Amino acid sequence: MVFSSALIENAVNEFSRLPGIGKKTALRLVLHLLKQEPAQVQQFGDVIARMRQQIKFCKVCHNVADEEVCSICSNHSRQRQVVCVVENIRDVMAIENTQQFNGLYHVLGGIISPIDGIGPDQLNIHSLVERVRLQGVEEVIMAVSPTIEGDTTIYYLSKKLREFPVKITTIARGIAFGGELEYADEMTLARSISNRLPLEKYVQQQ
């Protein structure tokens, strides 16, 4: 791709670093910005920069937040005795979009994957155990993508929580094995949350 302007080329290169954005799409975005008023483009850039500089991660569940505690954890109308364990922030958004879950969340920040060098110490597991130990959690829902790595993570977490009087469930198999939670349609995901299974039954199905 040949550019007549180094400024355009640099902007295209930056946009193309974003996931799912190729050079052609990046060029369309840059040319679109060129059609906008300078003040609008400045506002666009300021919003992105401010988001990155000021965003926080909830000290309770590790979700993104504007304050020290996210809006979900600070909402006292939610079922505080039920915690849904997810792999990442996108999964929180996916489940929230179903409007079928009114409990709290815990974002692991990934799943156990020795091939990728990700072990339990790299994930937010200790804080989950502490929440169960100290905050009267009655049920932990394992809403982790149904993959080999996901199952490994579920098994590890169930062992860590075994000593506590907490019910451990997992989402139903409406999500195909090997699929990613964030890509499931809202109806399938909603049914998987509503029809969750005790972990023992999930293990027996393997």
Side-chain angles (χ1 to χ4, degrees), residues 62-103:
H62 309 286
N63 189 19
V64 288
D66 294 333
E67 306 296 337
E68 293 295 323
V69 177
C70 73
S71 59
I72 295 176
C73 287
S74 60
N75 184 349
H76 293 287
S77 68
R78 313 243 348 172
Q79 292 179 288
R80 312 193 73 78
Q81 72 274 18
V82 181
V83 174
C84 183
V85 177
V86 296
E87 178 182 344
N88 55 51
I89 294 160
R90 294 189 301 272
D91 294 339
V92 173
M93 297 177 179
I95 294 174
E96 281 294 284
N97 285 337
T98 70
Q99 299 182 350
Q100 295 297 309
F101 180 68
N102 193 41

Side-chain angles (χ1 to χ4, degrees), residues 115-172:
I115 293 178
D116 298 320
I118 302 175
D121 292 341
Q122 279 79 53
L123 305 178
N124 299 318
I125 293 177
H126 176 72
S127 56
L128 172 63
V129 175
E130 288 300 292
R131 289 181 72 181
V132 173
R133 185 173 72 89
L134 299 173
Q135 297 181 11
V137 177
E138 297 176 4
E139 180 182 2
V140 173
I141 305 171
M142 302 291 184
V144 179
S145 296
T147 60
I148 293 175
E149 293 81 6
D151 281 359
T152 300
T153 304
I154 290 173
Y155 177 71
Y156 181 86
L157 291 175
S158 67
K159 284 186 22 177
K160 296 290 287 186
L161 299 175
R162 188 174 296 165
E163 62 182 283
F164 304 106
V166 61
K167 180 181 179 182
I168 302 177
T169 59
T170 184
I171 55 175

Side-chain angles (χ1 to χ4, degrees), residues 185-197:
D185 64 274
E186 291 181 8
M187 182 64 71
T188 299
L189 186 53
R191 287 176 177 172
S192 296
I193 290 290
S194 299
N195 300 324
R196 57 187 180 272
L197 303 170

